[in-house]
């Protein structure tokens, strides 16, 4: 199920779509696609997260004053009845989309597959100054149920998967290329926290994978569902491979060390000793029966 934005009807439309889907199919799990979802209305993101939770906090809004906290909670009634859920995210998932992903991840209700989200975790308010003038102020930050700030850092996936090798190269060279952290005047993240820097992406499509015809991130999300939502099992059975910080494995890189370890293990393995099957022995001749004794006269 894909949600492209959070407008005033998103929660209702999502409920209706899921109800129809359940009526037509016997679902074993659900993939919630929030990739390239720029966000939208807060109440609609709370409503969507509420579809899959049995209660608990969805998100909190905290201002400068420690007492200035507004908490939003889910009601009882998981529409998926505990079946596994995977949420797909990428750097285009922002704001309200990050609220949904963070809530389901923190409450252990869904696994996140894809890439780290945009990192838009601030709350703005528009103050009317009259005479057609207004000022937009940042008044608070959004926090996930466990107390994580979304601002700049974003929501990191449980299983990091690039959609293409080109995308992996971008992340290997600059993780901030498309994110809130790329803006110099963006509100800082919480003290001591920072967005993950450039790095090797855990999984990348194989070179022969047709990214135009196939959706590699979706394929891996379905793999997680196949393992009943167990990300560790899916990660242990990858379809792609890790991509080094450059197209080649640099000396000392994690990618090169993996290759060296595999090569060393292969060399250390003893070769199987080939043995020729023993030639069958010719059958023994049966013993000749003893001649009867000649009776004496």
């Amino acid at each position: 199920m894909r949600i492209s934005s959070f407008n005033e009807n998103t929660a209702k439309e999502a409920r209706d779509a899921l109800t129809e889907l359940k009526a037509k199919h016997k679902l074993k799990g659900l993939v919630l696609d929030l990739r390239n979802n720029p966000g939208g209305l807060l109440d609609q993101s709370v409503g969507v997260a509420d579809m899959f939770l049995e209660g608990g906090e969805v998100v909190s809004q905290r201002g400068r004053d420690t007492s200035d906290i507004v908490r939003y909670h889910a009601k009882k009634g998981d529409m998926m009845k505990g079946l596994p859920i995977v949420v797909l995210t990428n750097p285009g998932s922002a704001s309200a989309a990050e609220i949904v992903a963070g809530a389901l991840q923190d409450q252990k209700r869904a696994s996140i597959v894809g890439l780290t989200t945009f990192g838009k975790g601030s709350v703005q308010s528009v103050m009317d100054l009259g005479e057609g003038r207004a000022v937009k102020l940042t008044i608070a930050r959004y926090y996930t149920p466990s107390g994580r700030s979304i601002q700049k850092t974003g929501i990191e996936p449980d299983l990091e998967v690039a959609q293409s090798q080109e995308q992996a190269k971008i992340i290997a060279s600059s993780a901030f290329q498309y994110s809130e952290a790329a803006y110099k005047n963006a509100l800082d993240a919480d003290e001591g926290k920072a967005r993950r820097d450039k790095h090797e992406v855990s999984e990348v499509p194989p070179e022969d994978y047709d990214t135009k015809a196939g959706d590699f991130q979706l394929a891996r999300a379905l793999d997680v569902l196949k393992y009943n939502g167990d990300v560790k099992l899916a990660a242990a059975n990858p379809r792609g491979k890790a991509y080094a910080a450059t197209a080649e494995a640099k000396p000392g890189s994690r990618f090169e060390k993996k290759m060296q370890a595999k090569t060393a293990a292969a060399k250390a393995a003893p070769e199987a000793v080939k043995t020729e099957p023993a030639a069958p022995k010719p059958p023994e001749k049966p013993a000749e029966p003893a001649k009867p004794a000649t009776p004496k006269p």
Side-chain angles (χ1 to χ4, degrees):
M1 185 168 72
R2 172 163 170 71
I3 298 178
S4 58
S5 65
F6 289 90
N7 57 42
E8 59 274 6
N9 298 315
T10 297
K12 181 183 182 304
E13 290 174 354
R15 282 183 176 274
D16 292 344
L18 184 55
T19 300
E20 183 179 350
L21 198 61
K22 289 170 63 180
K24 292 182 178 179
H25 306 279
K26 186 177 180 180
L27 301 182
K28 296 182 179 180
L30 179 73
V31 175
L32 180 61
D33 191 349
L34 298 180
R35 291 175 296 179
N36 299 317
N37 182 320
L41 301 176
L42 171 63
D43 64 326
Q44 297 301 305
S45 68
V46 174
V48 169
D50 180 45
M51 292 169 55
F52 310 110
L53 297 172
E54 287 289 353
E57 186 174 301
V58 174
V59 65
S60 63
Q61 179 180 308
R62 308 181 191 184
R64 291 184 178 181
D65 195 314
T66 54
S67 62
D68 184 14
I69 301 178
V70 181
R71 300 182 186 276
Y72 299 86
H73 294 83
K75 299 175 183 177
K76 194 171 183 179
D78 176 7
M79 291 186 69
M80 287 299 294
K81 305 296 183 183
L83 289 172
I85 298 172
V86 176
V87 179
L88 281 171
T89 63
N90 67 3
S93 308
S95 191
E98 295 176 281
I99 289 173
V100 174
L104 297 181
Q105 186 183 51
D106 275 9
Q107 291 223 33
K108 311 296 183 186
R109 185 60 191 91
S111 301
I112 312 297
V113 172
L115 297 171
T116 303
T117 59
F118 186 79
K120 170 65 170 62
S122 58
V123 185
Q124 282 76 39
S125 177
V126 178
M127 297 179 63
D128 187 5
L129 301 178
E131 299 180 356
R133 297 177 300 167
V135 61
K136 192 175 186 179
L137 297 176
T138 298
I139 60 172
R141 287 188 176 94
Y142 288 127
Y143 289 80
T144 68
S146 66
R148 292 183 295 163
S149 171
I150 300 170
Q151 180 62 20
K152 276 192 176 181
T153 57
I155 302 296
E156 293 188 6
D158 300 299
L159 180 61
E160 187 185 40
V161 181
Q163 186 72 326
S164 65
Q165 292 199 4
E166 290 72 21
Q167 191 177 49
K169 290 177 184 178
I170 293 173
I171 296 172
S173 61
S174 174
F176 304 152
Q177 188 158 352
Y178 185 71
S179 70
E180 180 83 353
Y183 295 95
K184 293 181 180 180
N185 60 345
L187 182 68
D188 286 336
D190 274 359
E191 187 176 351
K193 296 183 179 180
R195 188 179 182 88
R196 190 179 180 188
D197 205 347
K198 57 185 179 181
H199 62 278
E200 299 173 20
V201 178
S202 299
E203 288 194 29
V204 179
E207 291 182 3
D208 59 350
Y209 189 86
D210 188 350
T211 54
K212 293 182 179 179
D215 187 332
F216 189 69
Q217 290 174 330
L218 177 58
R220 292 301 282 142
L222 293 173
D223 286 342
V224 174
L225 290 184
K226 182 176 70 175
Y227 292 111
N228 200 33
D230 193 326
V231 173
K232 290 183 179 179
L233 273 178
N237 295 275
R239 293 193 186 194
K241 62 181 180 180
Y243 197 90
T246 62
E248 299 176 357
K250 284 187 173 181
S253 72
R254 190 177 69 178
F255 184 80
E256 188 202 36
K257 289 177 181 177
K258 283 183 180 179
M259 294 301 102
Q260 289 176 344
K262 287 184 178 180
T263 303
K267 289 181 178 179
E271 292 186 5
V273 179
K274 294 183 179 180
T275 56
E276 295 293 335
K281 293 181 179 180
E284 295 182 1
K285 292 182 179 180
E288 294 183 1
K291 293 182 180 180
T294 304
K296 293 182 179 180

